[in-house]
Amino acid sequence: MSKRGVTIFLTILLAVCLVGMERMKTGQEREALTAEAGQRPEGESAGKEEKLVALTFDDGPHEGSTERLLTGLKEREVKATFFLIGGSIEGREELVKKMAEDGHLIGSHTFHHVQLTNLSLEEACREITMTNEAITAVTGQPVEYIRPPYGSWNSRLECTIDLHEVGWTVDPRDWDVKNTETIVKQVLKNVRDGSIILLHDVYDTSVEAAFQIIDELQAQGYTFVTVDRLLID
C-alpha cells in the first residue's frame, strides 16, 4: 500500500473511533439520567420533594374557637381534618356546613366522646351511626373516617362499621397543657414529612397554636393536606 493509501486508511480509522467514543459517552450520560430519575418518587419532577403534613382537630364543633379556626384556615388556604362529636353538632350546623364548604375533611369522634372498647358492640355501633347521620344530615356527604376517642378502637366494629380508623403521629397534649407556646414547640420538634398532628379545636390556646404551626411549617416548605391524602399515599 502506498504512503498516501496508509494515510487515508488511518484517517478513516481515527474517524470511526471518535464516532464510537462519542456514542458511548452519550449512552453513559443517558443511563446516568435514567438512574437519577429512577431514584425520585413516581411522578415527581427534578424539583424539590414536596413535604406533606395533616392538621387534625378533635372534639368540635365549638361555637367560638372552631369558628375562629375556620376563618384562620381559610385565610391561610389550609385544609384540615375535623373529627366531630355528634352530640355537639345540634345548634352548630352552620359551622359544620362551613367546614364542608371550605373543603375540610369531616369524620366521626362518636356521639358522646365514649371509649368504644368499654361498650357492647351494639352500643358502640349506635354511637358511631348516630354521629355519621348527624354529619351527613348537614353536609350531604357520607362519613368515611373515624378517630375513636382515646385511640381505643374495637376491631369487631370493622365487620359492622365501614369506616377508616385514623390515628396520629404528633400529640402535644394540647388538652392538658393549654399553653400555646408549649404546644407549638412540641409540634415543631416532632413533625416530619407525612406527620398527622393531633389538636383540639375547643381550646383557644390550641387554635392560636395551630396558626403559628401553619405559618412556621409553610415557611419551611410544608404543604397541609387532609388526612385521607396521607393515608392513600
Side-chain angles (χ1 to χ4, degrees), residues 16 21 23 27 34 46 63 65 70 78 86 92 101 108 111 116 134 143 152 154-155 164 176-177 190 192 216 229:
V16 170
M21 292 174 64
R23 287 180 177 176
T34 301
E63 290 179 4
S65 52
L70 290 174
V78 165
R92 303 179 178 91
E101 290 176 345
S108 170
F111 200 84
L116 294 172
V143 178
S152 183
N154 189 334
S155 60
H164 302 286
D176 184 26
V177 300
N190 295 290
R192 302 289 186 275
E216 176 60 31
R229 171 83 178 272

Coordinates of all heavy atoms in Angstrom, one line a residue, residues 16 21 23 27 34 46 63 65 70 78 86 92 101 108 111 116 134 143 152 154-155 164 176-177 190 192 216 229:
V16 N -13.7 6.7 12.7 CA -14.6 5.7 13.2 C -14.5 5.6 14.7 O -15.5 5.5 15.5 CB -14.3 4.4 12.5 CG1 -15.1 3.2 13.2 CG2 -14.7 4.4 11.1
M21 N -16.6 6.5 20.3 CA -16.4 7.1 21.6 C -17.5 8.0 22.0 O -18.0 8.1 23.1 CB -15.0 7.8 21.7 CG -13.9 6.8 21.7 SD -12.3 7.6 21.6 CE -12.3 8.4 23.2
R23 N -20.6 8.1 20.8 CA -21.8 7.3 21.1 C -21.8 6.7 22.4 O -22.8 6.6 23.1 CB -22.0 6.2 20.0 CG -22.4 6.8 18.6 CD -22.5 5.7 17.6 NE -23.0 6.2 16.3 CZ -23.1 5.5 15.2 NH1 -22.8 4.2 15.3 NH2 -23.6 6.0 14.1
G27 N -24.4 7.4 25.5 CA -25.2 6.3 26.1 C -25.0 6.3 27.6 O -25.9 6.1 28.4
T34 N -31.2 8.4 33.5 CA -32.3 7.4 33.7 C -32.2 6.9 35.2 O -33.2 6.8 35.9 CB -32.2 6.2 32.8 OG1 -32.3 6.7 31.4 CG2 -33.4 5.2 33.0
A46 N -37.8 17.0 38.7 CA -36.4 17.1 39.2 C -36.4 18.2 40.3 O -35.3 18.3 40.9 CB -35.5 17.5 38.1
E63 N -68.6 26.7 69.3 CA -69.1 28.0 68.7 C -68.0 29.0 68.5 O -67.9 29.6 67.5 CB -70.2 28.6 69.5 CG -71.5 27.7 69.4 CD -72.6 28.3 70.3 OE1 -72.4 29.4 70.9 OE2 -73.7 27.7 70.4
S65 N -64.3 28.9 69.4 CA -62.9 28.6 68.9 C -62.9 27.9 67.5 O -62.1 28.2 66.7 CB -62.2 27.6 69.9 OG -63.1 26.5 70.2
L70 N -61.7 28.2 61.7 CA -62.1 28.1 60.2 C -61.8 29.3 59.5 O -61.3 29.3 58.3 CB -63.6 27.8 60.1 CG -64.1 26.4 60.6 CD1 -65.6 26.4 60.6 CD2 -63.5 25.3 59.7
V78 N -55.5 26.7 54.0 CA -55.1 25.4 54.5 C -56.4 24.5 54.7 O -57.4 25.0 55.2 CB -54.4 25.5 55.9 CG1 -54.4 24.2 56.6 CG2 -53.0 26.0 55.7
G86 N -70.8 13.9 67.7 CA -72.2 14.0 67.2 C -73.1 14.8 68.1 O -73.9 15.6 67.6
R92 N -75.1 23.9 66.0 CA -73.9 24.4 65.4 C -73.8 23.9 63.9 O -72.7 23.7 63.4 CB -72.7 24.0 66.2 CG -72.7 24.4 67.6 CD -71.5 23.9 68.4 NE -71.5 24.4 69.8 CZ -72.0 23.8 70.8 NH1 -72.6 22.6 70.6 NH2 -72.0 24.3 72.0
E101 N -68.0 23.2 53.1 CA -67.9 24.1 52.0 C -66.5 24.6 51.8 O -66.1 24.9 50.7 CB -68.8 25.3 52.3 CG -70.3 25.0 52.2 CD -71.2 26.2 52.5 OE1 -70.7 27.1 53.1 OE2 -72.4 26.1 52.2
S108 N -65.9 11.1 62.2 CA -66.6 10.9 63.4 C -65.7 10.8 64.6 O -64.5 10.3 64.5 CB -67.4 9.5 63.3 OG -67.9 9.2 64.6
F111 N -70.6 9.9 69.4 CA -71.7 10.9 69.7 C -71.5 11.5 71.1 O -71.8 12.7 71.3 CB -73.1 10.2 69.7 CG -74.2 11.1 69.5 CD1 -74.6 11.6 68.2 CD2 -74.9 11.6 70.6 CE1 -75.6 12.5 68.1 CE2 -76.0 12.5 70.4 CZ -76.3 12.9 69.2
L116 N -64.9 3.3 73.0 CA -65.7 2.3 72.4 C -65.4 0.9 72.9 O -66.3 0.0 72.9 CB -65.4 2.3 70.9 CG -65.9 3.6 70.1 CD1 -65.3 3.6 68.7 CD2 -67.4 3.6 70.2
A134 N -75.7 12.5 61.9 CA -75.8 13.9 62.2 C -74.9 14.7 61.3 O -75.3 15.8 60.8 CB -75.3 14.1 63.7
V143 N -69.9 9.8 55.7 CA -68.7 9.8 56.6 C -67.8 8.6 56.3 O -68.4 7.4 56.3 CB -69.1 9.9 58.1 CG1 -67.8 9.9 59.0 CG2 -69.9 11.1 58.3
S152 N -58.9 4.3 71.2 CA -59.3 3.0 71.6 C -60.3 2.4 70.6 O -61.5 2.8 70.6 CB -59.9 3.0 73.0 OG -60.2 1.8 73.4
N154 N -62.3 -0.8 68.7 CA -62.8 -2.2 68.8 C -62.7 -2.8 67.5 O -63.5 -2.5 66.6 CB -64.2 -2.2 69.4 CG -64.7 -3.6 69.8 OD1 -64.2 -4.6 69.2 ND2 -65.6 -3.7 70.7
S155 N -61.8 -3.8 67.3 CA -61.6 -4.4 66.0 C -62.9 -5.1 65.5 O -63.1 -5.3 64.3 CB -60.5 -5.4 66.0 OG -60.7 -6.4 67.0
H164 N -62.7 4.1 58.0 CA -61.3 4.0 58.2 C -60.9 4.6 59.5 O -61.2 5.8 59.8 CB -60.6 4.7 57.0 CG -60.9 4.2 55.7 ND1 -60.5 3.0 55.2 CD2 -61.7 4.7 54.7 CE1 -61.0 2.8 54.0 NE2 -61.7 3.8 53.7
D176 N -54.2 19.1 77.7 CA -53.6 19.1 79.1 C -52.8 20.4 79.4 O -53.1 21.0 80.4 CB -52.8 17.9 79.2 CG -52.2 17.7 80.6 OD1 -52.9 18.2 81.6 OD2 -51.2 17.0 80.8
V177 N -51.9 20.7 78.5 CA -51.0 21.9 78.8 C -51.7 23.2 78.6 O -51.4 24.2 79.4 CB -49.8 21.8 77.9 CG1 -49.0 20.5 78.2 CG2 -50.1 21.9 76.5
N190 N -41.3 17.7 66.7 CA -41.5 16.3 66.3 C -42.1 16.1 64.9 O -42.2 14.9 64.5 CB -42.5 15.6 67.4 CG -41.8 15.5 68.7 OD1 -40.9 14.7 69.0 ND2 -42.3 16.4 69.7
R192 N -42.6 15.7 61.0 CA -41.8 15.2 59.9 C -42.7 15.1 58.7 O -43.9 15.3 58.7 CB -41.3 13.7 60.2 CG -40.5 13.6 61.4 CD -39.1 14.2 61.3 NE -38.3 13.9 62.4 CZ -38.2 14.6 63.5 NH1 -39.0 15.7 63.6 NH2 -37.4 14.3 64.5
E216 N -45.2 28.6 60.5 CA -43.8 28.2 60.5 C -43.6 27.1 59.6 O -42.6 27.1 58.8 CB -43.5 27.7 62.0 CG -42.1 27.2 62.1 CD -41.0 28.2 61.7 OE1 -41.2 29.4 61.9 OE2 -39.9 27.7 61.2
R229 N -55.4 12.1 52.3 CA -54.3 12.2 51.3 C -53.1 11.4 51.8 O -52.4 10.7 51.0 CB -53.9 13.7 51.1 CG -52.7 13.9 50.3 CD -52.9 13.9 48.8 NE -51.7 14.1 48.1 CZ -51.2 15.3 47.7 NH1 -52.0 16.4 48.0 NH2 -50.1 15.5 47.1

